[in-house]
């Protein structure tokens, strides 16, 4: 079959429209109008074999090629190849089909192991309106230290992308082997990434939209828009409401849609959820709330959608307590509450992200406690450079905060990631 010159092949020629009679019409000698003769209806030619083949191509092959292309953009090469294998034999040797198969195969074979420790960056909920967050009240300095603005986050994503970073799943740091008794053993793994790319893990803490953040320029909660995508509800100072990209999750989702090669096989980040004021902006532990059951169902729905689109959840402790200094019994109770009141709605997880970044001892009774609840990946904040340690029964990784404190006081510690001097929001006040 010859190569088509157009994505749409016209199979049939429409009959010509009837000739429009002149405004005065044909008249006989007695000035009596005569009936117009009907136009001759030409018989439509039967479609040729080439036209029929072109129609079958457009119906069966073109959609597969388009879907395979979209999969390949996100590095789903194996899935794209499996899809291309379903193309009917009639078209299996077409130039476009063979080219797509060759491209995906070559790309899959070009993945290389990354043999350095993997960076892990994290954020808190983003400041939307800096005039409200930095208004001189007692919360200003804390926001200035530990929060990132929406504009800064956009700029950070652009720089990470330009510097060839690519988001991966934290579980790519280790390989899990399960024996016949169900015991899991971990071994260190070198993440496979496209040549030239640098793997990166991302997380965002809390995502509770705490009461203290109200009226300070932060989003109100996560919601689903009319397309089923996760967005934020933001309430402006005048009380008007907007649905859009106002925090890490929806902004990153949109960025990956526009730059699918920034995410390895759909990986986004980790939501480190607390529980003492509910989660995702819903007070699902407030037994007096008239919308309790509705809110709980909404959290389930949003969490499911987040997980469908590449997000993971982690425990950040129910009460955001200092894991290293609280008693063992307090840790047991805190973990139980997180399981009962948060995991019950967002799902179980094997990731524990320490509140305040304060790690416990390895090994220790507390570690055994957390492991007994299914946690295997533990993340603290204590090193300025990347650190990953994989043992038989746990993975340990340090995180780096990209916030006002880091970008202003120690930009050199993140110079491999971003040039902070061009990112810091000019509306930030001086750190105190």
């Amino acid at each position: 079959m010859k190569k088509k010159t157009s994505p749409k092949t016209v199979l049939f020629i429409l009959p010509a429209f009837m000739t429009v009679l002149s405004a005065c019409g044909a008249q006989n000698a007695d000035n009596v109008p005569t009936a117009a003769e009907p136009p001759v209806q030409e018989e439509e030619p039967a479609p040729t074999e080439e036209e029929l083949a072109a129609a079958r191509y457009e119906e069966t092959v073109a959609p597969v090629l388009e879907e395979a292309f979209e999969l390949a953009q996100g590095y789903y090469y194996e899935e794209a190849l499996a899809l291309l294998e379903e193309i009917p034999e009639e078209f299996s040797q077409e130039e476009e089909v063979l080219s797509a198969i060759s491209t995906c195969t070559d790309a899959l074979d070009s993945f290389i192991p990354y043999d350095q420790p993997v960076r892990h960056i994290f954020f808190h909920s983003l400041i939307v309106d800096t005039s409200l967050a930095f208004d001189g009240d007692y919360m200003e300095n804390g926001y200035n230290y530990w929060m990132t603005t929406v504009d800064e986050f956009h700029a950070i994503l652009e720089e990470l992308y330009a510097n060839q970073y690519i988001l991966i799943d934290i579980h790519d740091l280790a390989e899990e082997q399960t024996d016949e008794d169900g015991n899991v053993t971990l071994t260190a793994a070198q993440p496979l990434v496209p040549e030239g790319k640098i793997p990166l893990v991302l997380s965002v803490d809390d995502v509770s939209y705490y009461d203290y953040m109200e009226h300070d320029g932060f989003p109100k909660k996560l919601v689903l828009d009319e397309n089923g995508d996760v967005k934020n509800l933001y309430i402006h100072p005048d009380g008007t409401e907007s649905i859009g990209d106002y925090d890490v999750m929806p902004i990153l989702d949109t960025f990956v849609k526009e730059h699918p090669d920034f995410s390895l096989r759909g990986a986004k980040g980790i939501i480190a959820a607390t529980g003492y004021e509910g989660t995702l902006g819903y007070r699902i532990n407030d037994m007096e709330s008239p919308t309790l059951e509705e809110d709980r169902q909404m959290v389930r729905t949003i969490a499911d959608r987040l997980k469908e689109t590449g997000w993971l959840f982690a425990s950040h402790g129910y009460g955001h307590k200092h894991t290293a200094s609280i008693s063992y019994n307090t840790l047991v109770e805190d973990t139980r509450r997180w399981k009962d009141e948060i995991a019950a709605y967002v799902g179980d997880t094997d990731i524990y992200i320490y509140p305040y970044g304060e790690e416990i001892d390895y090994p220790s009774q507390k570690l055994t406690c957390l492991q007994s609840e299914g946690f295997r990946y533990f993340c603290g904040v204590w090193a300025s450079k990347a650190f990953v340690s994989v043992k038989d029964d746990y993975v340990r990784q340090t995180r780096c905060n990209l916030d006002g404190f880091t970008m202003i006081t120690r930009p050199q510690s993140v110079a491999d990631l971003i040039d902070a001097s061009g990112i810091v929001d000019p509306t930030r006040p001086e750190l105190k």
Side-chain angles (χ1 to χ4, degrees), residues 123-131 133-134 147-160 217-219 245-248 251-252 255 402-404 407 418-428:
F123 305 85
H124 290 93
S125 288
L126 303 178
I127 299 170
V128 180
D129 189 336
T130 56
S131 70
F134 305 139
M147 305 301 194
T148 309
T149 72
V150 164
D151 288 346
E152 289 170 340
F153 186 66
H154 278 289
I156 287 169
L157 290 181
E158 292 289 353
E159 282 215 18
L160 292 172
F218 291 89
D245 296 356
Y246 295 108
D247 206 354
V248 172
I251 292 175
L252 184 56
F255 190 85
L402 289 183
D403 48 27
M407 292 191 293
I418 59 172
D419 178 5
S421 64
I423 289 177
V424 173
D425 196 308
T427 65
R428 282 185 179 275

Side-chain angles (χ1 to χ4, degrees), residues 383-413:
S384 60
K385 296 299 181 182
F387 173 87
V388 177
S389 175
V390 180
K391 303 297 182 183
D392 288 347
D393 54 357
Y394 67 84
V395 176
R396 188 178 164 210
Q397 185 183 33
T398 191
R399 301 192 299 158
C400 169
N401 44 316
L402 289 183
D403 48 27
F405 173 75
T406 296
M407 292 191 293
I408 293 172
T409 67
R410 47 191 187 96
Q412 70 283 352
S413 69

Side-chain angles (χ1 to χ4, degrees), residues 70-92:
E70 291 177 356
L71 287 168
Q73 283 188 304
Y75 308 103
Y76 290 98
Y77 295 123
E78 292 177 341
E79 290 81 355
L81 287 169
L83 195 64
L84 293 168
E85 290 177 0
E86 298 177 4
I87 288 177
E89 185 176 354
E90 174 186 7
F91 303 110
S92 62

Side-chain angles (χ1 to χ4, degrees), residues 69-77 111 157-158 160-168 193-200 252-268:
F69 174 74
E70 291 177 356
L71 287 168
Q73 283 188 304
Y75 308 103
Y76 290 98
Y77 295 123
F111 275 47
L157 290 181
E158 292 289 353
L160 292 172
Y161 181 69
N163 291 336
Q164 300 302 308
Y165 283 91
I166 182 172
L167 297 175
I168 68 167
V193 295
E195 188 172 5
K197 294 290 186 179
I198 307 170
L200 180 71
L252 184 56
D253 285 346
T254 297
F255 190 85
V256 170
K257 283 182 181 179
E258 297 170 352
H259 308 83
D261 54 332
F262 183 57
S263 165
L264 182 62
R265 298 177 60 82
K268 299 286 181 56

Side-chain angles (χ1 to χ4, degrees), residues 96-114:
E96 290 175 314
V97 175
L98 293 175
S99 176
I101 291 173
S102 175
T103 298
C104 289
T105 302
D106 291 346
L108 187 61
D109 292 341
S110 70
F111 275 47
I112 60 174
Y114 185 77

Side-chain angles (χ1 to χ4, degrees), residues 225-255:
D225 68 6
E226 65 276 7
N227 299 316
D229 293 326
V230 176
K231 301 293 181 182
N232 287 108
L233 168 64
Y234 181 74
I235 302 178
H236 299 269
D238 64 2
T240 58
E241 298 181 352
S242 297
I243 304 296
D245 296 356
Y246 295 108
D247 206 354
V248 172
M249 291 71 63
I251 292 175
L252 184 56
D253 285 346
T254 297
F255 190 85

